Amino acid sequence: MTDRPDHPKQPDHEVAIIGGGFSGIGAAILLDRAGFDDYLMIEEGDGVGGAWHWNTYPGVAVDIPSFSYQFSFEQMTDWSRVYAPGEELKAYAEHCVDKYDVRRRTRLGTRVVSAEFDDDGELWRLGTAGGEQITARHVVVATGVLTQPKKPEIEGIGDFAGAVMHTARWDHDVDLRGKRVAIIGTGASAVQTIPSIAPEVAHLTVFQRTPIWCLPKLDAPLPLPARLAMRVPGARRATRLVSQTFVELTFPIAAHFHDLLPVAGVGERIGHGHLRRAVKDPEVRAKLTPSYALGCKRPSFSNDYLQTFNRSDVHLETTPIERVTPTGVVTTDGVEHDVDVLILATGFKVFEKGNMPAFGVAGTGGADLEDWWGRHRFQAYQGVSVPGFPNFFAILGPYGYNGSSYFNLIETQMAHIVRCLKQARRVGATRVEVTPEANTRYFERMLGRRRHQVFFQPSCSTANSYYFDANGDVPFRASPTLETMWTSSRFDLDDYAFASRSVTTA
Ligand code: NAP
């Protein structure tokens, strides 16, 4: 089609979805269902599944019950366990892209390095690492946040002579059997890796900086009869309802209504009891006891992590690391721990520059998204859209995620996005932009709810939690899930301006 100067240019696609994890897959399916079938899902990796594509470390598994950790419209009855292992999540992602015909509209191995809004054309120009340009009227950013492995800045780490690997980039060619292994970090990835590798290595040293709250995991295999029972009418729905209630109570309610409901206090008592029963040595137990309140940072769930520290071939080291040498790790007390393999369970970039998203985003008039957030703090209307960045929608923007199952987030945010796109179609608009007033109103509402949240109590200052950004904000959506669902499908459409060269509303 020929572009006319008085008309928006025709982009390659109506929607570009950046990211091929569950956010991108969910976005693709839900756009298609709403009649937006001209989309392209762009993924940097050589496979779909996001976190479940990249994270293949031993023991990787979901830590939200599988009955909740799946799309509401594509519920499986054949999970092998209550908490499915990573490979089943990866297979589920593959299943979804095939069943919903997403694969044909997917570009793998394509890294987006820039996104620029073309004010004249009212479209986005995406630059790829390969030097290509892809244009789209609308962009859905589905890049997640826990995607960029963070390597610790420890002196000498580059000189280590043995194998070094980050949990999110596990090298399956490294044979750990009979090796002296060290692991740095005790977050959720380490909690799963440590008990899985301890039985096969010669010796394991765990370098802990901040202990993690570890709660019992209500996990169990789901044998065939249990899976068949899930097919009985109503059984699957009832199981999901129980699971959703459990997830809702253990995170969104516990975190955002901390001062109203003592869920975190109950959780702490359960955590202390779990630790007491699991670890025999009182000194080790003391080292594993968090000094901050449950909820300041993400807790873990495991039935074998704490018990691993009873093994004579596992050593918990809490003296800070000073440096790494070619043959080991030296702590500040001068002790050198000899090591053959170094595992970095040191997490990811989260609410920081270069990760929200990982590529530069230039909105209307060339405004840079990171600069905008730098000046205004992280904020986005319902976690989806930012004034000055038209036709640009995020699944996991600031104040979007309330902490329940990630799949709730995807479906909720897509309800919001689809509503915007449908309205744009209805009024013939090629430009959709949240108003500054609506954005500010939402941001202030979120900040106003802070006083109820678990995050802003004094003990959180010792938690080293990635929930906090550089301003000390915690950009989670302070809402129960039912409220997020309600507001995403009922927000006032006048909160957006819908416009085109020839049409303007709001
Ligand atoms: P993480 O929670 O950020 O943990 C990183 C760990 O590395 C922390 O213990 C941290 O100590 C330590 N660390 C970082 N830099 C260090 C340094 N220079 N020296 C010493 N220690 C250092 O990362 P993660 O375990 O990969 O988990 C990230 C998130 O991914 C989780 O919170 C969860 O949301 C998700 N996840 C989910 C699952 C699941 O669903 N099953 C599994 C894995 C991960 P400090 O605490 O002192 O900073």
Side-chain angles (χ1 to χ4, degrees):
M1 191 171 161
T2 318
D3 290 327
R4 289 185 7 222
D6 59 338
H7 248 279
K9 292 174 191 150
Q10 288 304 306
D12 300 332
H13 299 280
E14 189 165 14
V15 187
I17 302 166
I18 308 177
F22 280 119
S23 301
I25 295 168
I29 296 169
L30 293 167
L31 282 171
D32 203 31
R33 282 185 158 191
F36 297 89
D37 58 356
D38 176 17
Y39 67 77
L40 179 69
M41 185 171 86
I42 307 167
E43 164 58 43
E44 172 181 359
D46 60 0
V48 296
W52 306 102
H53 174 76
W54 294 105
N55 285 269
T56 61
Y57 58 80
V60 62
V62 67
D63 61 6
I64 281 190
S66 308
F67 316 115
S68 292
Y69 200 81
Q70 56 183 339
F71 293 116
S72 63
F73 53 82
E74 188 58 29
Q75 294 184 45
M76 309 302 278
T77 52
D78 58 356
W79 299 113
S80 67
R81 309 188 62 85
V82 174
Y83 291 85
E87 68 208 31
E88 287 183 31
L89 271 310
K90 166 74 176 159
Y92 178 61
E94 299 283 352
H95 160 80
C96 290
V97 293
D98 285 330
K99 177 167 175 183
Y100 293 92
D101 196 23
V102 179
R103 202 179 291 282
R104 144 181 95 77
R105 289 167 281 186
T106 299
R107 285 267 299 272
L108 297 175
T110 306
R111 183 158 64 91
V112 171
V113 293
S114 64
E116 284 173 27
F117 188 64
D118 176 336
D119 275 296
D120 294 330
E122 295 181 329
L123 49 80
W124 283 90
R125 299 186 182 280
L126 306 178
T128 72
E132 196 189 345
Q133 188 178 84
I134 299 168
T135 58
R137 177 75 65 220
H138 303 281
V139 166
V140 175
V141 178
T143 45
V145 287
L146 301 166
T147 52
Q148 293 196 70
K150 203 168 175 173
K151 295 195 175 153
E153 287 171 15
I154 300 174
E155 186 193 324
I157 201 159
D159 302 328
F160 184 66
V164 184
M165 55 185 164
H166 191 282
T167 46
R169 298 290 182 271
W170 196 265
D171 183 348
H172 292 273
D173 291 337
V174 176
D175 187 358
L176 296 181
R177 281 174 301 179
K179 300 272 170 51
R180 295 165 304 175
V181 177
I183 183 162
I184 302 177
T186 51
S189 302
V191 164
Q192 296 181 332
T193 306
I194 288 167
S196 306
I197 62 171
E200 68 180 67
V201 304
H203 188 269
L204 180 64
T205 308
V206 177
F207 289 94
Q208 172 188 275
R209 195 163 63 179
T210 312
I212 190 165
W213 276 104
C214 183
L215 300 169
K217 194 168 185 176
L218 303 176
D219 194 15
L222 293 170
L224 189 60
R227 286 186 250 159
L228 289 176
M230 294 275 284
R231 297 188 186 176
V232 173
R236 197 179 62 182
R237 191 175 297 174
T239 312
R240 183 163 164 100
L241 185 65
V242 171
S243 173
Q244 298 282 73
T245 308
F246 170 73
V247 174
E248 190 68 10
L249 280 173
T250 50
F251 194 94
I253 299 294
H256 305 311
F257 300 96
H258 170 68
D259 65 335
L260 305 175
L261 295 163
V263 182
V266 173
E268 282 182 20
R269 281 198 292 282
I270 294 171
H272 283 306
H274 189 45
L275 180 59
R276 227 176 11 252
R277 283 187 299 277
V279 180
K280 292 183 199 140
D281 183 333
E283 266 182 46
V284 176
R285 216 158 47 214
K287 287 180 178 177
L288 289 165
T289 305
S291 63
Y292 55 89
L294 177 68
C296 295
K297 74 193 296 182
R298 183 113 167 352
S300 249
F301 301 86
S302 173
N303 300 328
D304 50 11
Y305 168 68
L306 295 171
Q307 289 81 347
T308 307
F309 295 100
N310 294 326
R311 295 178 67 108
S312 57
D313 53 2
V314 174
H315 172 65
L316 177 65
E317 184 56 69
T318 54
T319 310
I321 296 171
E322 185 183 277
R323 65 195 152 88
V324 174
T325 67
T327 54
V329 179
V330 180
T331 38
T332 53
D333 53 8
V335 174
E336 175 153 7
H337 304 261
D338 294 331
V339 169
D340 304 311
V341 179
L342 188 54
I343 297 170
L344 309 177
T346 44
F348 303 87
K349 281 189 167 185
V350 188
F351 297 121
E352 56 197 282
K353 281 195 163 194
N355 191 49
M356 292 286 288
F359 50 87
V361 177
T364 184
D368 180 77
L369 182 58
E370 250 180 17
D371 285 353
W372 194 88
W373 274 330
R375 274 181 282 116
H376 300 276
R377 297 152 71 178
F378 277 127
Q379 47 178 297
Y381 177 63
Q382 295 193 12
V384 170
S385 45
V386 180
F389 296 83
N391 302 2
F392 188 83
F393 305 96
I395 301 287
L396 189 48
Y399 301 94
Y401 181 45
N402 78 337
S404 69
S405 165
Y406 202 67
F407 287 80
N408 283 340
L409 169 81
I410 300 165
E411 294 185 30
T412 302
Q413 302 302 67
M414 282 312 297
H416 181 130
I417 295 166
V418 161
R419 213 163 157 243
C420 289
L421 298 191
K422 278 188 168 171
Q423 177 68 0
R425 246 192 204 174
R426 210 172 289 130
V427 299
T430 45
R431 185 179 170 121
V432 183
E433 184 176 352
V434 69
T435 66
E437 296 76 25
N439 176 65
T440 301
R441 195 182 343 113
Y442 179 74
F443 184 50
E444 286 174 353
R445 190 181 320 137
M446 288 296 109
L447 296 186
R449 291 182 176 185
R450 250 184 191 191
R451 63 185 188 281
H452 302 303
Q453 292 181 302
V454 72
F455 313 119
F456 297 98
Q457 54 181 297
S459 81
C460 284
S461 62
T462 63
N464 256 355
S465 171
Y466 68 72
Y467 289 173
F468 294 83
D469 68 16
N471 293 305
D473 292 332
V474 179
F476 281 114
R477 186 170 189 162
S479 303
T481 301
L482 285 177
E483 188 192 11
T484 65
M485 291 164 75
W486 173 267
T487 48
S488 300
S489 53
R490 304 290 163 123
F491 65 87
D492 190 345
L493 283 168
D494 286 343
D495 286 347
Y496 282 85
F498 295 88
S500 74
R501 288 284 170 79
S502 51
V503 184
T504 304
T505 68

